[in-house]
Amino acid sequence: MATSPVPNQTSCRSGPLLDHLARRVRLRAESVLAPMGLRPRHLVALTLLRDRGGSTQQGLASMLEMDGTNIVGLLNDLEAMNLIERRRSPEDRRRHVVVLTDAGAKQLAKAEIALEAVEDEVLCALDREQRETLYELLQRAAAGAEVICVEPVED
């Protein structure tokens, strides 16, 4: 019995390819971050804190899409390494504001240099302009991830 083709099927599916590249980057990133005592999730939190100038614990949990228990564990890791500080919010003493320490900023910069080498390795087939285009497209896709598409995108 012959199988019939699936309507509108295309061989150009991005999901599996993005997953494969993400896995390659993640594995290499983990190997270069481990000697620094960091994991990729630590790096994401440190980057958000640097870029936003700090955040409440609840705000950080929301941005990272983590529940309260997991965010506390993540922050405990970072605080034990002296990369962040939790301070009482001056506006609401029941809340904690999380800020990057000077040591955290230095460790983040060191990690970003190591991760640049990872991207150079994984994306070596792309030139600088192509990498910039890829980055811009990924940013656009990530920004639209919360938008529900009701119709397929057509060229």
Side-chain angles (χ1 to χ4, degrees):
M1 170 186 251
T3 56
S4 59
V6 177
N8 299 324
Q9 185 177 7
T10 178
S11 62
C12 298
R13 294 285 174 216
S14 299
L17 185 56
L18 285 169
D19 184 55
H20 175 69
L21 286 171
R23 185 176 298 113
R24 287 179 59 198
V25 168
R26 187 172 38 256
L27 289 172
R28 288 293 301 130
E30 287 172 353
S31 71
V32 300
L33 293 175
M36 296 179 215
L38 296 174
R39 296 178 56 201
R41 69 187 201 134
H42 294 139
L43 193 68
V44 173
L46 293 172
T47 302
L48 284 171
L49 291 172
R50 179 199 57 206
D51 294 349
R52 297 181 184 274
S55 174
T56 63
Q57 283 187 196
Q58 184 179 19
L60 190 59
S62 177
M63 287 183 279
L64 294 172
E65 297 182 15
M66 295 177 77
D67 65 39
T69 303
N70 289 332
I71 195 69
V72 168
L74 173 71
L75 295 177
N76 286 345
D77 291 346
L78 296 172
E79 193 169 43
M81 293 184 278
N82 192 36
L83 303 179
I84 60 123
E85 286 181 358
R86 287 184 267 201
R87 302 175 184 155
R88 291 278 179 201
S89 169
E91 292 85 29
D92 183 348
R93 302 290 298 160
R94 296 169 294 174
R95 292 179 183 244
H96 282 97
V97 176
V98 183
V99 295
L100 195 62
T101 64
D102 289 340
K106 289 175 185 172
Q107 188 74 325
L108 177 57
K110 184 178 172 183
E112 288 177 330
I113 290 168
L115 290 176
E116 185 177 348
V118 167
E119 285 193 13
D120 286 345
E121 179 184 323
V122 175
L123 301 175
C124 65
L126 303 178
D127 65 29
R128 179 173 297 284
E129 185 177 317
Q130 290 169 326
R131 288 183 197 191
E132 288 173 7
T133 299
L134 175 62
Y135 181 75
E136 290 169 9
L137 292 171
L138 290 171
Q139 276 189 312
R140 188 180 307 164
E146 295 181 12
V147 175
I148 298 172
C149 297
V150 291
E151 295 182 23
V153 177
E154 296 183 24
D155 292 328

